Amino acid sequence: MVAQIRNPIEWAWDHLKQTGHAMEETAHTVEGAWESRDAVAPMVRRIHAADIGDALAKGVKDFGACRTDVIFLCLIYPVAGLVISRMAADYGMVALVFPLISGFALVGPLFGLGLYEMSRRREMGIGTGWADAFAVVRAPAIGAIVVLGALLFGLFCLWLFTANLIYIVTLGPDSPVSATAFARDALTTPAGWTMIVVGCGVGFLFALVALVIGVVSFPLLLDRNVGVGTAVATSVRVVLTNPGPMAMWGLIIAGSLVIGAIPLLVGLAIVLPVLGHATWHLYRKVVS
């Protein structure tokens, strides 16, 4: 049998058809996305701080193996962040620039799906490239992934609404005339410090909710054919079973995102793939 070498148009057309079929299946499965279809409920293990460190080390190793691919894939996040920040400033929404950037942590688990898939494929000994990240659209639980992603996006929108409300109550209702004026009001007035303290406190609560419901939900949905309810319940059990290590993991995520965001968000192109790969390995450690 002679192997036929397909041209790029044929290759792209075949993948486009596969994606179309996957999206059609998604539309049919969203309605039943809350139901679990696996016969065995996931078992949760107890882990320790050393396991967090090992997951991070494996995440760095995956990043090293797929460095070019994941940097290419993740450059979209700092670029999008800079574009959104610029647009917010141009439209008089300077006060929402920080909530927009910090709120990325709320939807981060969703955008890490492609990285989880790349780590999963490496774990199976399958060659990976940046295009393989899009294989998640053919996951058995894609309907549940879409529903859970919509829930996290709704949480992100609620955070932006709350952050804007805090600004209006403390420094508003008028929009700041410039970024410099906003920074001066925020850092040199009692109302500004009230906004900072209250905003950070409320933001912490939003981040805590996102961590509890999303720490292993998306890797679980990618790995098994379960529903949203099962995925979220498993994630909650992971946090309740391992409060110390999960608190440590949350602090690592927050600190890494801050470090990655400082140099004009460019550092996120390295921080995000490492955290994404590490999340997959953390899932493997904590879910039997």
Side-chain angles (χ1 to χ4, degrees), residues 164-184:
N164 187 58
L165 182 62
I166 293 172
Y167 168 77
I168 291 174
V169 172
T170 55
L171 290 178
D174 297 330
S175 300
V177 295
S178 66
T180 303
F182 172 71
R184 183 181 64 248

Side-chain angles (χ1 to χ4, degrees), residues 9-46:
I9 296 178
E10 291 176 333
W11 181 89
W13 176 247
D14 286 344
H15 280 70
L16 182 62
K17 287 193 297 183
Q18 292 176 8
T19 302
H21 291 320
M23 295 308 293
E24 183 178 357
E25 292 176 2
T26 299
H28 292 300
T29 57
V30 164
E31 182 178 355
W34 284 95
E35 301 175 359
S36 179
R37 289 165 288 278
D38 262 0
V40 180
M43 300 291 293
V44 172
R45 298 190 186 103
R46 188 178 297 276

